[in-house]
RNA sequence: GGAGAGGUGGCAGAGUUCGGUCGAAUGCACCUGACUUGAAAUCAGGCGAAGGGUUAAACCUUCCGGGGGUUCGAAUCCCUCCCUCUCCGCCA
């Protein structure tokens, strides 16, 4: 959520900045709503003031033992007028609120402007794509032929499309990867390991920005009632599967006022992620690339505003370290204004080299959300000597997506006979074996 | 699953009997000042959040777990939901 002041006082500038990411702000509509809000709010508050003052008089008169009948008569119709004003104001506020909740974040100044992923800017390339003296197979062929290590048919039988069963050494490697990543981040990068719920409530989802706008991307334990943009009382108790550990981890900060000395908070967790992938029916239907369920090691930082830009560089570096230690070639791109996620001010994508596709594919996305999530969550900190608490900044990134890392290892470390060399960094996590198959 | 207790400011904790100068005693923490070479201790003062308003203030409104109700007026009374704690049962 943006600072309401942007929508009140700097709406033209705000609209212009939002336009760079392809979002059209209905300025005329908002201005009209704002004008009415101001009038109505003032009028309502005046009525409340009048009521409070008169009620106070009644109390005092009663204490003195005077006749309060005339006073009661004088407030007779006040209640109805107040109720009417209040409900009219509430309708208006709800409308403004639902508009505000659907406005994406403002891009940071140093984000390249552009309309689509074609306008993303490559920052660096790391490692050389290995040249094979045979035709490299893709991870599906490799995984299926390795003792049925990847069993897509079984996943479909049990659950449906985009679910997969892993067996034997492939399953072990999937586990090894997440263990390796967690150890790196906790032992080398200073993150606190956490274990979190995989089911979260709607407040948490609204805090990080998945709701109200992206309900269809998630799996819900119960269908949401209605299409309302605002959470009603019943919906607030329904749980949804997390699409990323960003949701529970970032919501640690919800309704918290940190002491300055507690920041930054750095959290990591290994969790499954569940995505309905609505709207992606035709894309990446083969293999592990796009699944309804996959594992991810997530990095989250809660920082002081002045540190968030630097923190994004560091957090992205932490994710890069994993790729470097696994010796997987990758490139780093900064997303353009048009390709960024809803709540991001700036995002780096890390894309790993996949030989079978002869291209780089996203394996991590690291973003600074500025105060966008903090404002929704009321996540604040108190600076030493400051009168009022300030909103913190939040960042998150994948470090890394485990399923896609498995794909990358299988494809990049394949040998001509279909076996897979275990990356050196992973050998200790694989019980010492150096080759699969 | 059964029985009971409770949710109040950053934290702890009064107030709820008998609704009215209660946005809320007190303590801790924090901020400012005095004392001190400095610090500690002590003393004095200040100190919840959100919104509106102002050059800045003043000032106004809302908030005592969420929602609803009664009333001129609700932290306080009623309904409902959520959460926490204790005891019993059950379970990994």
């Amino acid at each position: 959520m943006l600072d309401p002041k942007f929508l009140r006082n700097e709406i033209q500038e705000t609209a212009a900045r939002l336009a760079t990411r392809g979002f059209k702000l209905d300025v005329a509509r908002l201005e009209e709503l704002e004008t009415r809000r101001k009038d109505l709010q003032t009028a309502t508050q005046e009525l409340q003031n009048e009521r409070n003052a008169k009620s106070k008089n009644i109390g005092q008169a009663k204490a003195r033992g005077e006749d309060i009948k005339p006073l009661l008569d004088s407030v007779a119709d006040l209640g109805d007028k107040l109720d009417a004003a209040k409900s009219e104001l509430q309708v208006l506020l709800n409308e403004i609120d639902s508009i505000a909740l659907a406005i994406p974040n403002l891009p940071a100044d140093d984000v390249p402007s552009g309309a689509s992923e074609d306008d993303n800017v490559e920052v660096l390339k790391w490692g050389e794509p290995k040249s094979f003296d045979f035709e490299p197979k893709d991870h599906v062929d490799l995984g299926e032929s390795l003792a049925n290590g990847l069993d897509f048919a079984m996943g479909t039988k049990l659950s449906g499309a985009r679910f997969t069963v892993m067996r034997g050494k492939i399953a072990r490697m999937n586990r090894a990867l997440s263990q390796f990543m967690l150890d790196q981040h906790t032992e080398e990068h200073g993150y606190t390991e956490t274990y979190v719920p995989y089911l979260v409530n709607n407040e948490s989802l609204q805090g990080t920005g998945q709701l109200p706008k992206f309900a269809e991307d998630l799996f819900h334990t119960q269908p949401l009632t209605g299409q309302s943009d605002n959470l009603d009382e019943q919906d607030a108790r329904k749980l949804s599967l997390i699409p990323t550990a960003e949701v529970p981890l970032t919501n640690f900060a919800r309704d918290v006022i940190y002491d300055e000395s507690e920041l930054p908070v750095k959290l990591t967790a290994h969790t499954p992620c569940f995505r309905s992938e609505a709207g992606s029916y035709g894309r990446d239907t083969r293999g592990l690339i796009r699944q309804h369920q996959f594992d991810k090691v997530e990095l989250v930082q809660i920082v002081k505003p002045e540190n968030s830009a630097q923190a994004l560089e560091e957090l992205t570096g932490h994710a890069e370290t994993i790729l470097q230690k696994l010796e997987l070639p990758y490139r780093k791109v900064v997303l353009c204004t048009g390709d960024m996620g809803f709540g991001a001010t700036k995002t780096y994508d890390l894309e790993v080299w996949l030989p079978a596709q002869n291209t780089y594919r996203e394996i991590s996305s690291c973003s600074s959300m500025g105060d966008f999530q903090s404002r929704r969550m009321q996540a604040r900190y108190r600076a030493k000597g400051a009168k009022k608490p300030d909103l913190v900044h939040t960042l998150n990134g994948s470090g890394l997506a485990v399923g896609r890392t498995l794909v990358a290892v299988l494809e990049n470390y394949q040998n001509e006979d279909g076996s897979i060399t275990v990356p050196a960094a992973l050998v200790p996590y694989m019980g010492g074996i150096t080759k699969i198959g």
Side-chain angles (χ1 to χ4, degrees):
Chain A
M1 193 148 76
L2 299 181
D3 190 334
K5 290 189 172 65
F6 288 164
L7 299 179
R8 286 176 191 156
N9 309 330
E10 303 166 30
I11 190 159
Q12 292 297 350
E13 300 89 318
T14 304
R17 289 178 70 187
L18 287 171
T20 65
R21 55 182 299 167
F23 185 87
K24 194 171 178 309
L25 189 66
D26 191 343
V27 174
R29 175 107 186 96
L30 265 174
E31 279 182 329
E32 187 220 322
L33 289 172
E34 262 307 313
T35 310
R36 280 177 51 207
R37 178 201 61 83
K38 219 166 184 169
D39 292 346
L40 250 177
Q41 186 164 343
T42 310
T44 306
Q45 291 188 353
E46 273 169 14
L47 282 172
Q48 279 171 326
N49 186 16
E50 186 182 347
R51 187 206 58 191
N52 290 347
K54 289 191 170 170
S55 291
K56 202 174 231 179
N57 285 340
I58 293 175
Q60 289 169 340
K62 208 174 166 188
R64 289 192 297 265
E66 296 170 7
D67 178 20
I68 58 171
K69 184 74 170 52
L71 287 170
L72 283 179
D73 290 343
S74 76
V75 291
D77 63 334
L78 208 54
D80 289 341
K81 282 203 283 191
L82 188 55
D83 284 346
K86 266 183 175 169
S87 61
E88 198 182 342
L89 179 63
Q90 196 52 53
V91 169
L92 193 59
L93 287 177
N94 285 345
E95 188 170 352
I96 293 173
D97 210 39
S98 63
I99 292 175
L101 280 174
I103 298 174
N105 204 355
L106 299 173
D109 292 334
D110 59 346
V111 169
S113 57
S116 72
E117 60 182 311
D118 300 330
D119 300 312
N120 295 343
V121 176
E122 182 178 299
V123 177
L124 65 80
K125 270 200 176 85
W126 187 93
E128 269 308 305
K130 184 178 170 185
S131 58
F132 294 87
D133 47 16
F134 57 92
E135 185 65 29
K137 296 178 186 151
D138 80 355
H139 71 280
V140 177
D141 292 338
L142 290 164
E144 285 178 335
S145 57
L146 280 169
N148 224 3
L150 289 179
D151 191 340
F152 297 97
M154 184 63 85
T156 303
K157 182 175 94 174
L158 299 178
S159 302
R162 297 196 193 278
F163 287 95
T164 303
V165 165
M166 298 183 201
R167 278 196 193 79
K169 292 291 184 287
I170 302 283
R172 170 86 190 246
M173 182 175 276
N174 192 61
R175 171 162 63 95
L177 282 168
S178 56
Q179 302 295 321
F180 164 65
M181 293 178 196
L182 268 183
D183 283 351
Q184 270 298 310
H185 296 314
T186 56
E187 291 166 17
E188 308 294 331
H189 301 151
Y191 290 79
T192 302
E193 181 169 353
T194 55
Y195 174 83
V196 294
Y198 303 155
L199 288 162
V200 292
N201 59 31
N202 286 359
E203 277 177 283
S204 295
L205 289 164
Q206 176 159 319
T208 34
Q210 279 74 22
L211 292 182
K213 220 178 172 181
F214 303 104
E216 64 181 17
D217 295 342
L218 310 174
F219 287 105
H220 306 283
T221 52
Q222 298 174 57
L224 293 168
T225 56
Q227 296 296 310
S228 167
D229 277 345
N230 285 300
L231 303 178
D232 72 21
E233 203 181 335
Q234 280 188 317
D235 285 342
R237 267 173 279 130
K238 295 175 179 173
L239 300 176
S240 305
L241 284 162
I242 56 172
T244 159
E246 171 199 346
V247 177
L249 290 179
T250 308
N251 272 282
F252 277 29
R254 175 152 51 85
D255 295 323
V256 172
I257 299 179
Y258 290 99
D259 189 85
E260 184 172 18
S261 62
E262 297 176 86
L263 301 177
V265 174
K266 297 167 72 177
L267 304 169
T268 185
H270 163 229
T271 72
C273 303
F274 302 92
R275 303 194 178 173
S276 79
E277 295 296 346
S280 310
Y281 297 117
R283 297 187 64 194
D284 302 311
T285 49
R286 179 179 165 84
L288 283 181
I289 294 293
R290 193 174 298 274
Q291 296 274 294
H292 285 317
Q293 174 184 326
F294 61 95
D295 279 21
K296 183 154 63 70
V297 172
E298 182 74 0
L299 304 172
V300 160
Q301 291 198 26
I302 297 157
V303 304
K304 293 196 278 181
E306 63 267 31
N307 295 338
S308 62
Q310 178 63 26
L312 176 61
E313 302 301 320
E314 288 170 10
L315 185 147
T316 309
H318 297 150
E320 288 178 66
T321 303
I322 303 295
L323 288 164
Q324 291 170 10
K325 293 216 169 182
L326 292 173
E327 298 178 70
L328 292 168
Y330 70 92
R331 65 180 201 132
K332 178 179 178 180
V333 301
V334 57
L335 298 193
C336 73
T337 51
D339 198 32
M340 285 198 304
F342 184 64
T345 64
K346 183 176 182 179
T347 299
Y348 289 112
D349 271 8
L350 302 179
E351 301 177 344
V352 71
W353 177 255
L354 294 186
Q357 294 190 12
N358 199 40
T359 187
Y360 289 94
R361 287 301 301 261
E362 178 185 340
I363 196 167
S364 169
S365 189
C366 303
S367 301
S368 170
M369 317 301 267
D371 61 14
F372 189 82
Q373 295 178 325
S374 310
R375 185 168 294 107
R376 290 171 168 244
M377 295 190 300
Q378 283 300 297
R380 294 165 292 176
Y381 79 105
R382 200 182 299 275
K384 203 168 166 58
K387 273 190 170 174
K388 285 181 172 288
D390 243 340
L391 293 171
V392 297
H393 280 192
T394 57
L395 303 98
N396 65 79
S398 7
L400 307 161
V402 177
R404 289 189 181 181
T405 309
L406 180 65
V407 169
V409 169
L410 292 178
E411 294 195 6
N412 282 282
Y413 280 85
Q414 64 179 296
N415 303 307
E416 188 162 16
D417 63 359
S419 64
I420 311 291
T421 301
V422 176
L426 227 46
V427 170
Y429 293 89
M430 291 291 289
I433 65 169
T434 55
K435 202 163 102 171
I436 300 176

